[in-house]
Amino acid sequence: MEPEMEDKTVELMTTSGMESQTLVDELSPKKTLLKHNGPVMGSRKRPSEGNYEKEKEHCIALFDQWSEADQVEFVERLISRMCHYQHGHINSYLKPMLQRDFITALPAQGLDHIAENILSFLDARSLCAAELVCKEWQRVISEGMLWKKLIERMVRTDPLWKGLSERHQWEKYLFKNRTSEIPPNSYYHSLYPKIIQDIETIEANWRCGRHNLQRIQCRSENSKGVYCLQYDDEKIISGLRDNSIKIWDKQTLECLKVLTGHTGSVLCLQYDERVIVTGSSDSTVRVWEVTTGEVLNTLIHHNEAVLHLRFANGLMVTCSKDRSIAVWDMASPTDISLRRVLVGHRAAVNVVDFDDKYIVSASGDRTIKVWSTSTCEFVRTLNGHKRGIACLQYRDRLVVSGSSDNTIRLWDIECGACLRVLEGHEELVRCIRFDNKRIVSGAYDGKIKVWDLQAALDPRAPASTLCLRTLVEHSGRVFRLQFDEFQIISSSHDDTILIWDFLNVSPNGQSEGRSPSRTYTYISR
């Protein structure tokens, strides 16, 4: 646009053939006219005077003839001549014009998948709100099966959701491409609140101690205790004082198999999909084939009872009453070689745990020692317990230990600081496990206690709020336990294995007292 033409147009639009005083009056806030998609903003109307209408039409006609760049430049100059009040009205006028409903616009361009991908990042509350925006948003959510994708995301990232999907069998409708075999989006929309309700019920059962109890009686003539156990969805494997390993069907509670070979009590065990590894008071470590029960290997190294062991990713660590820790390389079940012996404890080493960074051991000498997994070099000692330490678990930076001083301690492994002391058991704390929410401990007082882990890690939380529930069913010392989101399985000197089920609780399940139980007794021959 020619500069002369622009100057004349600006002059025409700003003077309108009126006296300067009239111009000031018309540009004052009281005289300003601004339309907002039809309605007049502020109810301020400019009186029609002189040739305003004709001049306005002439200016618009000239404006329409210019290029977009010239139009922008012209409007910028025009706006620069206005007052702050007018700028505010123009801003209000432009805001809705600049907004874009991209979720509606994308499918119109054949980009439905992008709209679906954007909305797939919403949580449940936001997804509900998005469905109410308009019919097009609702269509994108429905056809994109976004409620299904939300549930799938939760199942992938949360073990509680994953466990529920398996137990309630709605996992069969997940992780499948769009076929006629899967329900519509409405099914998943209605399923989501039911899952939330299930989760809230399970959490309430844990807090209130509501559970169904199943009991396995595993006593035989020479047995006086079940020292160790591990379980999965199909089976429970237990190590007994009568020198045997018994494998139980988790659904029927029947004994499927008895493995014999140790000449002393089976004090510790761990298994995976291929092998069972056991440690015994006969000082040996044995490796068994899971399916056949065949002995694949026997390791003779320790001079006294093997008290605990852990293995993972080709590495095994064992500890013994002989005060030593042995680190083994596991190339295969039949090819296991000793890498290093760690010496430093002044009493029996009762428990070990490890990851890629640290090996952690605890002893009757009242200390926890930390070693480098890669070099097997000593790192530090954690001091605090007043008597020997019987159990611990280590994960990430957290170590949780139980002692014959009747306390549980939480430690930061990196700095060695004791973060919290939990008191409540009346005798030696024999076994302990934790996950992201809870610590579960078992002691020689026959009690199992459930603690709030997150509260325990908060220094402001009162000590009286940390123990959520005490479970009393065992009539003897609790030797070992394992738990997940739905259950605790524990073993005891009373020769029983108890399954505490917090998922399948009968409507009249009671939070206090002894629970109805189903018992299966195995008599060895």
Side-chain angles (χ1 to χ4, degrees):
M1 179 175 62
E2 295 295 331
E4 294 81 357
M5 177 66 75
E6 181 181 1
D7 292 340
K8 288 181 180 179
T9 307
V10 171
E11 180 181 357
L12 182 64
M13 294 188 73
T14 56
T15 61
S16 299
M18 293 179 287
E19 296 295 329
S20 57
Q21 182 59 48
T22 305
L23 174 63
V24 171
D25 292 341
E26 290 177 356
L27 289 180
S28 67
K30 295 181 180 179
K31 302 289 185 178
T32 302
L33 173 69
L34 185 62
K35 294 184 179 180
H36 185 273
N37 289 340
V40 176
M41 297 295 294
S43 299
R44 291 179 172 86
K45 190 173 181 181
R46 180 192 187 282
S48 299
E49 296 180 6
N51 297 320
Y52 167 71
E53 292 296 335
K54 184 187 295 183
E55 292 164 351
K56 180 179 68 173
E57 295 301 325
H58 180 59
C59 290
I60 292 173
L62 292 173
F63 185 84
D64 289 342
Q65 296 174 15
W66 302 333
S67 67
E68 290 185 3
D70 289 339
Q71 289 174 340
V72 170
E73 181 185 0
F74 175 77
V75 171
E76 288 175 350
R77 289 193 60 183
L78 195 62
I79 291 174
S80 69
R81 291 169 175 255
M82 294 181 178
C83 67
H84 182 72
Y85 178 81
Q86 292 170 311
H87 291 161
H89 275 290
I90 291 174
N91 183 56
S92 299
Y93 180 77
L94 289 176
K95 271 185 178 179
M97 298 178 68
L98 295 174
Q99 293 173 352
R100 288 290 182 271
D101 181 359
F102 55 89
I103 296 300
T104 299
L106 285 170
Q109 302 296 322
L111 300 173
D112 296 65
H113 62 289
I114 297 179
E116 293 171 9
N117 191 47
I118 293 170
L119 293 178
S120 70
F121 288 94
L122 298 179
D123 58 20
R125 185 182 297 274
S126 302
L127 200 57
C128 281
E131 285 185 311
L132 300 176
V133 170
C134 64
K135 290 184 178 180
E136 181 61 18
W137 283 47
Q138 187 181 43
R139 184 195 67 79
V140 171
I141 292 170
S142 177
E143 294 185 3
M145 302 294 286
L146 296 192
W147 283 101
K148 173 175 175 284
K149 291 178 181 178
L150 175 59
I151 294 172
E152 289 172 344
R153 187 167 78 237
M154 298 302 297
V155 169
R156 279 194 300 267
T157 57
D158 190 315
L160 178 52
W161 282 72
K162 180 174 176 56
L164 282 173
S165 73
E166 295 168 351
R167 286 163 172 78
H168 289 173
Q169 299 184 353
W170 39 265
E171 64 170 347
K172 61 186 177 183
Y173 300 122
L174 303 177
F175 305 108
K176 293 182 178 179
N177 294 327
R178 300 183 187 186
T179 64
S180 57
E181 299 177 3
I182 65 173
N185 186 66
S186 58
Y187 166 80
Y188 301 96
H189 192 172
S190 60
L191 175 62
Y192 191 94
K194 294 177 183 177
I195 299 171
I196 296 300
Q197 185 176 9
D198 285 343
I199 290 172
E200 291 174 350
T201 300
I202 292 168
E203 294 297 326
N205 290 342
W206 275 95
R207 287 193 306 273
C208 300
R210 289 191 294 265
H211 61 274
N212 281 341
L213 191 73
Q214 294 176 289
R215 188 188 307 266
I216 300 175
Q217 300 280 2
C218 17
R219 67 172 70 93
S220 62
E221 292 180 4
N222 300 319
S223 174
K224 294 183 180 179
V226 184
Y227 281 133
C228 52
L229 63 82
Q230 184 183 338
Y231 72 87
D232 56 40
D233 290 339
E234 286 78 39
K235 61 185 176 295
I236 302 170
I237 301 183
S238 59
L240 282 74
R241 189 174 180 180
D242 68 1
N243 310 347
S244 69
I245 297 110
K246 290 187 171 69
I247 303 176
W248 310 85
D249 185 299
K250 192 167 179 296
Q251 304 307 317
T252 66
L253 308 186
E254 295 180 354
C255 185
L256 303 175
K257 194 172 299 183
V258 180
L259 310 183
T260 58
H262 279 297
T263 57
S265 301
V266 181
L267 303 177
C268 54
L269 67 81
Q270 183 185 343
Y271 71 85
D272 62 14
E273 66 279 359
R274 297 184 303 162
V275 297
I276 307 168
V277 183
T278 58
S280 169
S281 59
D282 65 13
S283 307
T284 68
V285 175
R286 288 181 181 252
V287 183
W288 315 73
E289 211 281 329
V290 167
T291 54
T292 66
E294 177 188 358
V295 178
L296 302 176
N297 205 341
T298 301
L299 306 178
I300 302 173
H301 164 74
H302 289 290
N303 298 321
E304 295 189 64
V306 179
L307 300 179
H308 200 252
L309 63 85
R310 300 296 297 166
F311 71 87
N313 303 321
L315 184 71
M316 179 168 67
V317 181
T318 61
C319 62
S320 170
K321 191 177 177 181
D322 65 12
R323 307 182 183 183
S324 74
I325 302 158
V327 182
W328 308 79
D329 289 309
M330 298 181 69
S332 71
T334 57
D335 183 6
I336 303 175
S337 58
L338 183 65
R339 179 196 295 186
R340 185 83 173 264
V341 177
L342 309 181
V343 179
H345 284 292
R346 293 176 288 105
V349 184
N350 294 318
V351 59
V352 289
D353 203 353
F354 73 93
D355 63 9
D356 292 339
K357 189 172 186 180
Y358 294 125
I359 297 170
V360 185
S361 58
S363 167
D365 65 8
R366 309 180 184 183
T367 68
I368 297 170
K369 291 191 179 294
V370 182
W371 319 75
S372 168
T373 302
S374 58
T375 66
C376 294
E377 296 299 321
F378 172 75
V379 177
R380 65 178 59 89
T381 298
L382 310 182
N383 290 297
H385 279 295
K386 302 297 189 294
R387 299 185 67 180
I389 301 165
C391 56
L392 68 72
Q393 183 185 350
Y394 157 55
R395 192 179 68 192
D396 299 328
R397 292 182 62 131
L398 184 62
V399 175
V400 180
S401 58
S403 166
S404 56
D405 64 11
N406 305 348
T407 69
I408 298 163
R409 286 181 179 254
L410 283 64
W411 311 81
D412 184 330
I413 196 170
E414 295 295 349
C415 65
C418 180
L419 306 174
R420 172 76 79 163
V421 180
L422 305 179
E423 298 179 307
H425 281 294
E426 298 166 6
E427 294 186 46
L428 178 151
V429 182
R430 180 66 170 80
C431 49
I432 199 153
R433 304 299 294 171
F434 71 87
D435 61 9
N436 294 327
K437 300 176 185 175
R438 308 176 184 91
I439 301 170
V440 182
S441 59
Y444 277 8
D445 57 14
K447 298 175 182 177
I448 293 172
K449 288 184 177 288
V450 181
W451 311 80
D452 186 332
L453 174 59
Q454 296 305 317
L457 292 172
D458 182 354
R460 300 166 298 179
S464 59
T465 65
L466 303 182
C467 184
L468 301 176
R469 185 59 51 178
T470 299
L471 305 174
V472 184
E473 286 288 347
H474 282 296
S475 59
R477 297 171 170 179
V478 181
F479 284 143
R480 196 60 51 94
L481 61 81
Q482 182 184 342
F483 78 98
D484 56 41
E485 298 282 358
F486 308 102
Q487 63 200 326
I488 301 170
I489 300 185
S490 58
S491 66
S492 168
H493 188 268
D494 63 14
D495 298 331
T496 66
I497 297 172
L498 299 185
I499 303 172
W500 315 72
D501 186 351
F502 297 94
L503 173 62
N504 303 300
V505 178
S506 58
N508 60 348
Q510 300 183 6
S511 60
E512 303 291 345
R514 306 180 74 84
S515 305
S517 62
R518 180 161 69 96
T519 301
Y520 180 88
T521 303
Y522 174 79
I523 306 298
S524 65
R525 295 176 174 83

